[in-house]
Amino acid sequence: MEASKLQIHALVEEIKEGVFRNVDPYTLVSLSAYDTAWLAMIPDSNEPFRPMFKDCLNWVLDNQRQEGWWGVCDSHGNPTIESLSATLVCIIVLKQWNVGKANIDKGLGFVYANLEELLKENYGGCPRWFAMVFPAMVELASTVGLEIVFPDRMKGAVSDIFSRRRQILETEELVDKPYNLPLLAYLEVLPSSYAINEEQLVKHLSDDGSLFQSPSATAGAFMATGNKSCLAYLQSLVQRNSNGVPPVYPIDEDLIKLSVVNQIQRLGLVEHFVREIEEILKQVYRNYNNEGSSTKQMNLFSEKLYKDSLAFQLLRRHGYRVSPGIFCWFLQNREIQDHVDKDQEYFSSLMLNVHRATDIMFPEEYELEEARSFARKSLEKNLSAGNRDQHDFAPSSSHRVIQHELDHPWLTRLEHLEHRMCIEESDMNALWKGKTSFHRLSSSHNEKLIQLAKMNFELRQSVYKNELEELKRWSKEWGLTDMGFGREKTTYCYFAVASSTTLPYDSLVRLIVAKGAIIITVADDFFDMKGSLDELINLTDAVRRWDSKGLNGHSKTIFEALDHHVKEIAEEHLQQQGSDITKELQDLWCETFESWLTEATWSRSGWIPSMDEYLETGMISIATHTLTLIASCLMSPSLPSYKLRPPQYETLTKLLMIIPRLLNDIQSYEKEQEEGKTNLVLLYAKGSPEVDIEASIAYVRDIIAKMEKQIFQLALIDGYSDLPESVKSLHLSCLKVFTMFFHSSNRYNSDTALFHDIQKAIYVPIQSETLKPRKHVLPLPHGSTSKEYKTTLNSYRFDRSSVKSRGSLAAHEVPRLTSRNGYKNMVVPALKFRLSFI
């Protein structure tokens, strides 16, 4: 275990050095093979038989994957549908400059071997960007002498993609709605029928000379017109990114930093980068306060909304005071909403991010409620469309994530299991959708984060496994395992505590809380189903006196385990804080036992309390405060001992006592009605004859929803509660546990409901691959020899020194991407642009 900690520490330091310490944000972004290849296509205006940006061509040669493809990969290193278009354009540019024959053969082999599977993973559907790019790449390949021949079984699917492009071209204007990424943004792949002159083009150039900040579109614009502003943009781009170019330029540096923080948080690594995260969030918060929400062309609104919703989500969860208006501005624009509604698939990652930003609402934040409703409807429509199209295909990674988010509200999801899901999810590195691909963090940085997350998770599993065995021994030693009645929940208790918090590896708090939860479960069952009223009175009296005299049997077992538990906590607190809190702990437990006795007396006498009486006792008998406040004494910083004294609890603690009681009441009212007991659901229905049980449940749920907003505000924002941050965080973790137990059923009372979750949290190793391996085995290309096929990449690098002077260039050595009239009428990919600037 110590060796694992050292390895984790070393990797953490490596990541800090590579990601946070004076690092150029551009190095954190995945480069775009597609856009880099388009820059590599541009011929030098003075020497048109050479590329203008030879480093881009060399990047293409040097960055083919071993399996034959180019482009970004998912979190497990597998290619995505985006790889098809990127691979084709890279093959084409190599063929154009007559270099990299082995690369071309491997690339074509990858396309033939994987086209069908990659299209299936997209549910057999065809995203707008893919319908624009893929057919153009197939056509472009033929202009350089590469005939792409698809197998018969794929001809129908390919034909559908071409039909989809035809539909888009027939129904959309060159520059359509201001909120869409228009056809003009795909200038490099528009058919030759779109004769675009420089005057038309200039109208749509950004101040920096780009066409929608797209390197590939701007490259196409320059090749079409020779516009000097486009050239200046491209030169600036290559100067800034000498080793391949990003999919958009310039990049929003704050957005990249926020994305890094988000990845770290979702992978469960916050504890290792606390200072670095805080510095980034402080800077982002200052930027928003000084500049407001960033301005973008409305054609790029999705990137702006993605950033604003991500900033809101992260800043809120880290305690910053931020207004929902930071990202809810889109609600004021009907056209944006209509546009999103018409293309739920393209905007699914954006709407998922908006939905996550609304997980934590404070009172009277009606904008967030509206945003959540809009995002949820959009995501549900996207899932529904995907289910219609998927036929026999497995759900895509993104659809699994969306379904999980919609099915499980944030309060029901335990941190440890969420971290595992993100580590195993193949596409968790996908950030927001760009023109032809998802924007992603660079593969090297993402791989290190995934590696660290796996190591961190597996170390926690090892710690949790050992602690659970220790807890089982303790429970058996004190006789709590074999009481002969009620629920044996040793494993459940520990799982809930360990999975809901990210306490340090060596923290005692997990075991302290789990032991308390076991005692509460056994004692509560004794009061509910086993003990006679006299036994219950005697046990409660013994707890008041804190003396076991007169007890025997189960009562004595419960008291002795409790006494040992309290002594253990008091001794630890004395060592840590230098003060004795034995009396405060005893009083807290006494209050809890007295509430159980009150409820048992009501039940056995048939007394029906008022709603106020019931809740006053029920909020204590659920014992959430008993667990949380006692554990808080051992946190760092710890809870002041005077805050342990009942009944003067903080509002945050009172809400934590009430909400789980109400959640439990919703799931247990039928059982308690059969047993002659009562709860708030039954009391409200009984007191209002016109209200049926469903209306009573809705009434209680409404109370819970309002209180959840209050507890979020108290727990997250400074100034609303003077409890230490660690204690407030523990309150939220406890709430998440009880919400998980009682959200849709009583999972705590089930012997099987949590079995698989417990296995994944503690026992089952991380699954490093969740997708089937690609068909990377490539047959020897027809007509090539083994020797030719094994030619190294270096022998194909484009180097000026390897080419003869212009005057002595042999005709057969001229790159083949020409028209019959020579370079003046050079045919550039399927577009047939005339290079007027030569």
Side-chain angles (χ1 to χ4, degrees):
M1 190 175 296
E2 289 305 315
S4 296
K5 290 180 182 179
L6 289 174
Q7 289 177 330
I8 287 173
H9 177 74
L11 187 52
V12 166
E13 289 302 308
E14 184 180 339
I15 292 172
K16 286 181 179 180
E17 191 66 35
V19 175
F20 295 105
R21 291 172 183 161
N22 299 317
V23 173
D24 179 2
Y26 279 80
T27 65
L28 303 178
V29 182
S30 273
L31 300 176
S32 169
Y34 177 85
D35 290 271
T36 304
W38 274 102
L39 265 72
M41 277 190 198
I42 303 174
D44 192 299
S45 55
N46 295 319
E47 299 179 276
F49 52 86
R50 306 178 190 277
M52 177 177 288
F53 303 113
K54 66 166 186 166
D55 286 344
C56 289
L57 180 59
N58 285 334
W59 185 93
V60 172
L61 282 164
D62 291 341
N63 284 273
Q64 184 178 29
R65 306 272 180 165
Q66 184 178 357
E67 300 84 357
W69 52 280
W70 282 268
V72 294
C73 57
D74 64 21
S75 293
H76 297 312
N78 288 321
T80 66
I81 190 173
E82 302 154 14
S83 310
L84 289 175
S85 52
T87 298
L88 285 173
V89 73
C90 287
I91 290 171
I92 290 162
V93 74
L94 296 180
K95 184 71 174 177
Q96 170 191 340
W97 297 114
N98 200 25
V99 295
K101 183 179 183 302
N103 305 64
I104 294 171
D105 291 339
K106 285 184 71 176
L108 286 173
F110 166 81
V111 172
Y112 288 136
N114 293 279
L115 175 65
E116 184 174 10
E117 188 172 351
L118 287 170
L119 290 180
K120 280 182 178 181
E121 286 176 6
N122 206 55
Y123 289 152
C126 183
R128 176 176 176 266
W129 72 266
F130 190 73
M132 290 297 300
V133 173
F134 182 74
M137 294 301 97
V138 175
E139 293 168 346
L140 175 55
S142 68
T143 70
V144 296
L146 290 172
E147 295 299 328
I148 310 291
V149 181
F150 297 104
D152 290 341
R153 68 180 183 278
M154 288 303 300
K155 287 181 179 178
V158 173
S159 176
D160 288 343
I161 296 171
F162 275 75
S163 297
R164 169 81 168 121
R165 179 181 68 158
R166 185 169 59 251
Q167 178 190 25
I168 292 170
L169 295 175
E170 289 174 353
T171 57
E172 293 187 20
E173 299 294 331
L174 192 63
V175 179
D176 205 344
K177 298 280 178 75
Y179 309 108
N180 192 16
L181 195 62
L183 290 181
L184 190 59
Y186 295 90
L187 176 63
E188 76 278 8
V189 294
L190 289 179
S192 57
S193 57
Y194 284 81
I196 301 166
N197 59 44
E198 186 172 4
E199 184 179 346
Q200 288 176 297
L201 197 67
V202 169
K203 293 179 182 178
H204 301 287
L205 291 181
S206 301
D207 292 341
D208 60 10
S210 73
L211 199 57
F212 305 104
Q213 298 181 349
S214 166
S216 52
T218 309
F222 174 66
M223 286 190 282
T225 66
N227 182 272
K228 292 183 179 179
S229 295
C230 293
L231 177 59
Y233 169 84
L234 295 171
Q235 290 171 334
S236 171
L237 166 64
V238 172
Q239 185 176 5
R240 184 68 179 77
N241 305 269
S242 58
N243 188 27
V245 302
V248 63
Y249 177 78
I251 65 172
D252 186 323
E253 296 187 11
D254 277 356
L255 175 53
I256 298 305
K257 292 175 182 177
L258 285 169
S259 298
V260 170
V261 171
N262 189 44
Q263 295 289 75
I264 287 172
Q265 183 166 288
R266 294 186 64 213
L267 289 169
L269 300 174
V270 171
E271 63 191 301
H272 300 293
F273 302 98
V274 173
R275 181 179 174 184
E276 290 78 11
I277 289 172
E278 192 59 35
E279 288 177 356
I280 289 174
L281 294 182
K282 279 183 179 178
Q283 182 61 53
V284 170
Y285 185 64
R286 281 196 299 268
N287 291 346
Y288 270 97
N289 282 338
N290 295 336
E291 304 166 14
S293 178
S294 59
T295 57
K296 288 273 186 184
Q297 292 174 258
M298 287 317 291
N299 306 92
L300 306 175
F301 83 89
S302 60
E303 180 183 329
K304 170 180 165 58
L305 182 53
Y306 184 92
K307 175 189 175 181
D308 291 346
S309 57
L310 181 59
F312 176 83
Q313 175 193 156
L314 293 173
L315 289 171
R316 170 153 288 192
R317 291 190 186 183
H318 286 264
Y320 289 85
R321 293 175 182 259
V322 283
S323 165
I326 197 177
F327 78 96
C328 287
W329 49 263
F330 80 96
L331 296 173
Q332 311 307 316
N333 193 314
R334 188 69 241 177
E335 286 188 87
I336 286 181
Q337 294 177 60
D338 290 342
H339 186 54
V340 171
D341 199 45
K342 289 175 183 176
D343 196 354
Q344 292 104 6
E345 190 279 329
Y346 179 81
F347 292 110
S348 60
S349 61
L350 173 62
M351 287 297 101
L352 180 60
N353 209 53
V354 169
H355 192 267
R356 285 172 174 162
T358 65
D359 281 338
I360 297 177
M361 298 187 204
F362 297 163
E364 299 182 1
E365 289 188 329
Y366 304 116
E367 279 182 303
L368 285 186
E369 293 178 0
E370 185 181 351
R372 188 173 186 83
S373 175
F374 178 84
R376 185 177 185 89
K377 287 177 182 177
S378 178
L379 293 170
E380 287 173 342
K381 288 179 182 177
N382 181 41
L383 288 178
S384 177
N387 289 335
R388 287 197 304 271
D389 295 338
Q390 70 177 1
H391 307 298
D392 297 326
F393 308 145
S396 72
S397 171
S398 62
H399 280 220
R400 287 195 300 270
V401 172
I402 291 170
Q403 191 71 65
H404 176 76
E405 295 274 346
L406 296 183
D407 289 347
H408 305 284
W410 180 75
L411 268 178
T412 69
R413 304 199 297 263
L414 302 185
E415 305 264 331
H416 186 57
L417 291 175
E418 288 296 291
H419 300 157
R420 179 185 181 120
M421 190 188 82
C422 290
I423 294 168
E424 293 182 334
E425 196 54 63
S426 62
D427 219 18
M428 73 85 56
N429 190 32
L431 304 177
W432 72 96
K433 282 190 178 177
K435 175 180 150 182
T436 62
S437 65
F438 271 101
H439 293 269
R440 288 176 165 86
L441 298 181
S442 71
S443 297
S444 60
H445 293 308
N446 187 63
E447 286 167 6
K448 287 179 182 177
L449 287 174
I450 293 289
Q451 180 187 357
L452 177 61
K454 288 179 181 177
M455 292 167 63
N456 190 64
F457 188 92
E458 288 166 356
L459 177 57
R460 286 194 170 275
Q461 278 190 315
S462 177
V463 171
Y464 296 167
K465 197 182 304 181
N466 290 338
E467 288 186 349
L468 179 55
E469 290 307 309
E470 180 182 341
L471 185 67
K472 287 178 178 178
R473 288 193 295 271
W474 175 87
S475 187
K476 188 172 185 63
E477 178 185 347
W478 288 96
L480 300 175
T481 303
D482 305 312
M483 296 293 281
F485 65 87
R487 302 161 291 178
E488 202 294 296
K489 296 295 179 182
T490 300
T491 300
Y492 271 35
C493 290
Y494 182 79
F495 155 76
V497 177
S499 297
S500 64
T501 61
T502 51
L503 295 165
Y505 305 124
D506 57 355
S507 175
L508 291 174
V509 172
R510 285 184 296 271
L511 285 175
I512 292 297
V513 176
K515 288 176 181 178
I518 293 167
I519 292 170
I520 287 169
T521 301
V522 172
D524 184 52
D525 286 347
F526 183 64
F527 275 79
D528 271 352
M529 62 182 67
K530 183 65 176 179
S532 66
L533 191 56
D534 285 342
E535 286 177 310
L536 304 184
I537 291 171
N538 289 338
L539 176 56
T540 304
D541 184 59
V543 173
R544 286 193 194 102
R545 295 180 286 106
W546 211 264
D547 186 348
S548 63
K549 186 178 180 179
L551 297 180
N552 54 55
H554 297 312
S555 296
K556 186 173 183 179
T557 299
I558 292 170
F559 182 86
E560 289 180 346
L562 176 60
D563 182 50
H564 174 268
H565 178 57
V566 167
K567 287 177 179 176
E568 181 183 23
I569 298 169
E571 288 171 7
E572 183 65 30
H573 188 271
L574 184 62
Q575 289 182 12
Q576 288 185 13
Q577 307 296 329
S579 59
D580 186 358
I581 58 169
T582 302
K583 183 63 168 64
E584 286 83 354
L585 298 177
Q586 292 173 351
D587 289 346
L588 198 54
W589 278 104
C590 180
E591 179 191 43
T592 305
F593 273 77
E594 286 176 339
S595 71
W596 291 334
L597 179 60
T598 298
E599 289 182 340
T601 303
W602 288 345
S603 173
R604 299 179 193 211
S605 66
W607 172 257
I608 305 296
S610 67
M611 289 177 62
D612 287 343
E613 283 179 304
Y614 169 78
L615 201 53
E616 185 178 340
T617 298
M619 64 188 284
I620 297 171
S621 67
I622 196 70
T624 50
H625 70 305
T626 313
L627 294 173
T628 307
L629 295 181
I630 290 176
S632 297
C633 294
L634 301 180
M635 300 291 287
S636 179
S638 68
L639 180 74
S641 59
Y642 69 87
K643 291 187 179 289
L644 283 174
R645 296 166 192 154
Q648 303 302 317
Y649 300 123
E650 293 273 341
T651 303
L652 176 61
T653 302
K654 289 179 180 177
L655 288 168
L656 178 61
M657 297 163 72
I658 296 171
I659 296 173
R661 167 48 64 202
L662 299 184
L663 287 167
N664 180 268
D665 284 1
I666 290 173
Q667 300 303 334
S668 63
Y669 75 88
E670 291 176 310
K671 176 176 178 289
E672 290 178 344
Q673 191 173 35
E674 291 173 1
E675 295 175 355
K677 302 175 183 177
T678 192
N679 69 25
L680 201 71
V681 172
L682 299 173
L683 288 172
Y684 183 72
K686 183 179 180 64
S688 307
E690 72 283 359
V691 173
D692 61 15
I693 202 70
E694 292 303 319
S696 184
I697 291 172
Y699 168 78
V700 175
R701 286 197 187 279
D702 186 57
I703 294 174
I704 293 170
K706 291 176 180 176
M707 288 186 170
E708 285 174 350
K709 293 176 181 178
Q710 290 178 276
I711 202 171
F712 284 151
Q713 191 170 49
L714 290 166
L716 293 173
I717 305 301
D718 288 341
Y720 285 90
S721 170
D722 63 355
L723 293 175
E725 292 297 323
S726 58
V727 174
K728 291 192 288 186
S729 178
L730 194 61
H731 276 68
L732 268 187
S733 296
C734 185
L735 178 61
K736 292 193 81 170
V737 166
F738 278 84
T739 307
M740 177 274 296
F741 279 144
F742 302 123
H743 173 66
S744 57
S745 63
N746 192 331
R747 301 181 78 192
Y748 191 68
N749 281 355
S750 168
D751 291 331
T752 59
L754 294 175
F755 175 79
H756 291 296
D757 285 348
I758 291 169
Q759 292 297 307
K760 288 189 292 184
I762 301 175
Y763 298 107
V764 179
I766 285 282
Q767 304 299 310
S768 60
E769 295 288 341
T770 58
L771 298 182
K772 294 183 292 184
R774 299 289 178 210
K775 302 172 184 175
H776 293 317
V777 178
L778 185 66
L780 193 67
H782 178 70
S784 64
T785 67
S786 177
K787 183 177 180 181
E788 291 171 336
Y789 190 64
K790 294 179 180 178
T791 305
T792 63
L793 300 185
N794 286 338
S795 67
Y796 290 107
R797 288 180 60 82
F798 188 92
D799 191 335
R800 287 182 183 273
S801 64
S802 68
V803 183
K804 299 176 183 179
S805 66
R806 186 177 182 183
S808 61
L809 188 67
H812 70 273
E813 294 175 305
V814 176
R816 298 179 59 186
L817 193 59
T818 64
S819 72
R820 293 179 181 176
N821 297 322
Y823 283 101
K824 289 280 185 179
N825 297 322
M826 182 176 181
V827 177
V828 176
L831 316 176
K832 301 189 174 85
F833 287 149
R834 190 175 295 273
L835 299 184
S836 58
F837 60 92
I838 298 179

